[in-house]
């Protein structure tokens, strides 16, 4: 894995308030148990909600089917399919039921076997898919829940649909697209290895890991801070721009409006019922400013909390190593930030930065959360694969042995921003069971965290340089050859289809 900030679950785990559009009472009327969760794992037994809706092709009434489900080891999604019995028109779409993540995500997967082609893939409407070996790109369009092979086959079907017309209208374009189709078919036939790059500024796309809960050597995930253009495209920067137009500092204007305890509506990630998430900014003496977030569901009693570090960025990263030997070690307070990675070498456990988000709990509580998260998601993914299920259950047994102190283990917290904390039982003296190391972040780590793009001085000079670069880029775009423009038209042609 590259030395970048990596993440398996970006952003808040609670669903967006807009899922309240699918009223729970109506959903239960279709046969879903009233006490069951709104989003269930994919197993073929979920209840489908049917809604009569207008066909945009013939303007008669058709049927829209909604399936609210949870992708194992990922998050909740809404699958929609429309069918018109009058004209035969069909369409399908996938939408995220979660909040937009804090940062964007890039999945890079190397494909060289049939099993790799069968990896599950979630592509949201903000994600772009690239295959650099054949210089091919699928632009941001409708969402898909499919496999890598299924996505490629959908692309081929869409490109082949208009080929007879192109052959008569523009034979040169027909030959170019036919060459692209052959390259895509070679990828499906596994004739040549290739790489799939899934880039989603919203951070809500996903490629399945075949080695979960261990790291997949063929799959790399990195997160990045969105640019202003990307935020503007997703409608996230409207308030900031309004503050700038009013002559105010957008950050200060936002802080001035904040009460001591913020409360905003969301949906329970367990049962889907409406619930409130509360947030408070707290300054911890001798440490840092932190943001505490808490959610409690009155419907099912589900509770969750998350902690995010505030204040200035530390100059060095921090690595905390703890030898777990007795119950006192398990009872230590721990603050794990959203950028902190966790590993236990004795059982080959390694969690990327961002997994579980920020947490303030005990060592035992954190390990219990890891156990619950893995046991509730991955087994459903491996029901039809006994070997993967056996390996995974064996791993969970080892994790249980670590929590019961049957296995002496070492807990390693690695936080590039130095925002994590582990209680010292011998403070202010050094703790013999705990080692704290500070290290200089690499260029790639700073780049993934967005630190390389920060400018603290020479703003005027930087703006002039940026404007000069934009002019040069504009000149380069105008100098594109006809072949390059045709290639962009091919790669940017409409690609849509089923799951």
């Amino acid at each position: 894995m590259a030395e970048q900030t990596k993440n398996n679950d970006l952003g808040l785990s609670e669903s967006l308030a807009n899922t309240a559009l699918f009223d729970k009472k109506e959903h239960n009327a279709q046969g879903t148990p009233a006490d069951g969760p709104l989003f269930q794992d994919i197993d073929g037994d979920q209840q489908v909600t049917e809604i009569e809706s207008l066909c945009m092709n013939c303007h008669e009434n058709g049927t829209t089917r909604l399936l609210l489900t949870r992708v194992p080891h990922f998050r909740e999604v809404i699958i929609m399919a429309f069918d018109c019995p009058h004209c035969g028109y069909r369409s399908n779409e996938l939408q995220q039921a979660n909040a937009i993540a804090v940062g964007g995500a890039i999945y890079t997967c190397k494909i060289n076997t049939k099993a790799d082609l069968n990896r599950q893939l979630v592509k949201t409407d903000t994600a772009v898919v690239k295959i650099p070996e054949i210089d091919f790109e699928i632009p941001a369009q409708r969402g898909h829940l499919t496999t890598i092979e299924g996505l490629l086959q959908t692309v081929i079907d869409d490109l082949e649909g208009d080929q007879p017309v192109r052959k008569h209208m523009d034979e040169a374009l027909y030959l170019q697209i036919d060459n692209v189709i052959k390259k895509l078919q070679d990828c499906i036939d596994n004739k040549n290895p290739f790489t799939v790059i899934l880039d989603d500024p919203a951070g809500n796309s996903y490629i399945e890991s075949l080695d979960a809960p261990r790291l997949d050597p063929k799959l790399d995930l990195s997160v990045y801070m969105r640019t202003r253009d990307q935020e503007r495209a997703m409608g996230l920067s409207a308030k900031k721009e309004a503050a700038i137009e009013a002559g105010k500092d957008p950050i200060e204007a936002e802080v001035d409006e904040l009460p001591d305890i913020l409360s905003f509506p969301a949906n329970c990630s367990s049962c889907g019922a409406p619930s409130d998430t509360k947030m408070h900014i707290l300054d911890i003496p001798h440490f840092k400013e932190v943001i505490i977030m808490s959610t409690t569901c009155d419907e099912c009693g589900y509770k969750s909390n998350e902690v995010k570090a505030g204040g200035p960025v530390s100059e060095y990263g921090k690595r905390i190593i703890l030898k777990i030997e007795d119950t006192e070690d398990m009872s230590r307070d721990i603050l794990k930030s959203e950028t902190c990675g966790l590993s236990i070498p004795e059982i080959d456990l390694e969690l990327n930065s961002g997994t579980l988000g920020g947490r303030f709990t005990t060592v035992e509580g954190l390990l219990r959360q890891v156990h619950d998260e893995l046991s509730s998601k991955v087994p459903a993914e491996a029901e039809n694969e006994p070997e993967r299920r056996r390996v995974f259950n064996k791993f969970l047994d080892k994790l249980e042995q670590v929590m019961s102190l049957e296995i002496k283990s070492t807990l390693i917290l690695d936080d590039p921003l130095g925002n994590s904390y582990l209680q010292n039982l011998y403070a202010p003296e050094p703790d013999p069971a705990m080692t704290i190391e500070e290290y200089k972040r690499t260029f790639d780590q700073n780049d993934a965290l967005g630190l390389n793009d920060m400018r603290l001085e020479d703003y005027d000079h930087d703006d002039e340089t940026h404007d000069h670069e934009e002019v040069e880029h504009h000149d380069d775009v105008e100098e594109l050859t006809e072949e390059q423009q045709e290639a962009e038209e091919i790669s940017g042609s409409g690609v849509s289809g089923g799951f």
Side-chain angles (χ1 to χ4, degrees), residues 62-134:
T63 302
T64 297
R65 294 175 175 84
L66 301 175
L67 177 63
L68 282 66
T69 188
R70 183 185 297 109
V71 177
H73 213 37
F74 188 50
R75 56 188 66 181
E76 294 85 0
V77 296
I78 302 173
I79 303 175
M80 298 179 288
F82 175 79
D83 177 43
C84 179
H86 302 283
C87 65
Y89 175 75
R90 294 184 178 183
S91 67
N92 46 66
E93 187 175 351
L94 178 142
Q95 289 187 359
Q96 287 293 328
N98 292 82
I100 294 176
V102 176
I106 299 178
Y107 284 85
T108 304
C109 186
K110 298 178 180 178
I111 310 297
N112 53 23
T113 65
K114 188 66 176 177
D116 293 330
L117 287 170
N118 289 330
R119 290 175 185 259
Q120 191 176 69
L121 181 143
V122 176
K123 176 187 177 297
T124 65
D125 54 1
T126 58
V128 174
V129 179
K130 301 177 182 178
I131 303 178
E133 286 81 359
I134 60 175

Side-chain angles (χ1 to χ4, degrees), residues 303-324:
K303 296 181 180 180
S304 68
N305 60 77
E306 187 171 359
V307 179
K308 294 181 178 293
V313 176
S314 301
E315 183 179 357
Y316 298 98
K318 182 187 294 184
R319 185 178 295 109
I320 305 175
I321 303 173
L322 172 67
K323 296 180 180 179
I324 302 177

Side-chain angles (χ1 to χ4, degrees), residues 203-431:
N204 285 332
S205 293
Y206 164 81
I207 295 180
E208 177 189 5
S209 170
L210 298 181
D211 294 331
R214 297 182 180 181
L215 296 180
D216 192 329
K218 295 183 179 180
L219 182 64
D220 180 83
L221 169 61
S222 62
V223 299
Y224 60 90
M225 302 304 294
R226 287 184 287 266
T227 64
R228 181 172 296 180
D229 290 339
Q230 289 173 326
E231 289 191 341
R232 187 180 294 110
M234 293 188 292
L236 299 180
S237 60
K239 291 185 178 180
K240 295 181 181 179
E241 294 178 352
I244 294 174
E245 291 177 358
K248 299 180 180 179
D249 184 289
I251 297 178
E252 292 181 357
E254 199 170 303
V255 172
D256 291 341
E257 299 176 358
L258 298 180
D260 289 339
I261 298 179
L262 292 171
S263 180
F264 52 91
N267 284 77
C268 175
S269 60
S270 178
C271 69
S275 60
D276 290 333
T277 296
K278 296 182 178 180
M279 182 177 73
H280 176 62
I281 301 176
L282 178 66
D283 188 6
I284 300 178
H286 309 295
F287 186 56
K288 290 186 176 182
E289 186 181 77
V290 298
I291 302 172
I292 303 174
M293 306 181 68
S294 175
T295 302
T296 302
C297 179
D298 297 332
E299 185 77 16
C300 67
Y302 172 79
K303 296 181 180 180
S304 68
N305 60 77
E306 187 171 359
V307 179
K308 294 181 178 293
V313 176
S314 301
E315 183 179 357
Y316 298 98
K318 182 187 294 184
R319 185 178 295 109
I320 305 175
I321 303 173
L322 172 67
K323 296 180 180 179
I324 302 177
E325 298 178 346
D326 51 36
T327 55
E328 287 188 352
D329 293 329
M330 282 291 180
S331 301
R332 291 174 185 255
D333 291 334
I334 182 172
L335 173 60
K336 175 194 171 296
S337 76
E338 66 272 16
T339 58
C340 180
L342 180 150
S343 63
I344 301 179
E346 288 80 1
I347 61 172
D348 293 330
L349 170 65
E350 185 170 353
L351 300 182
N352 294 325
S353 300
T355 305
L356 297 179
R359 290 288 185 269
F360 181 65
T361 177
T362 62
V363 173
E364 182 180 6
L366 183 61
L367 295 180
R368 176 58 60 186
Q369 289 177 359
V370 173
H371 182 280
D372 293 345
E373 284 289 324
L374 293 177
S375 61
S376 65
K377 292 181 178 180
V378 180
E381 187 182 49
E383 281 185 353
N384 299 324
E385 302 179 41
E387 181 60 25
R388 287 183 63 190
R389 189 179 181 88
R390 183 189 66 79
V391 172
F392 183 77
N393 287 335
K394 184 178 179 181
F395 170 80
L396 290 180
D397 292 339
K398 288 184 178 180
L399 186 55
E400 286 279 6
Q401 292 174 349
V402 168
M403 290 187 286
S404 62
L405 298 176
E406 296 178 25
I407 297 179
K408 301 298 181 182
S409 58
T410 305
L411 176 67
I412 302 175
L413 301 176
D414 192 344
D415 191 344
L417 289 181
N419 289 333
S420 296
Y421 163 83
L422 185 60
Q423 182 184 9
N424 181 355
L425 299 179
Y426 296 84
E429 300 296 327
D431 192 324

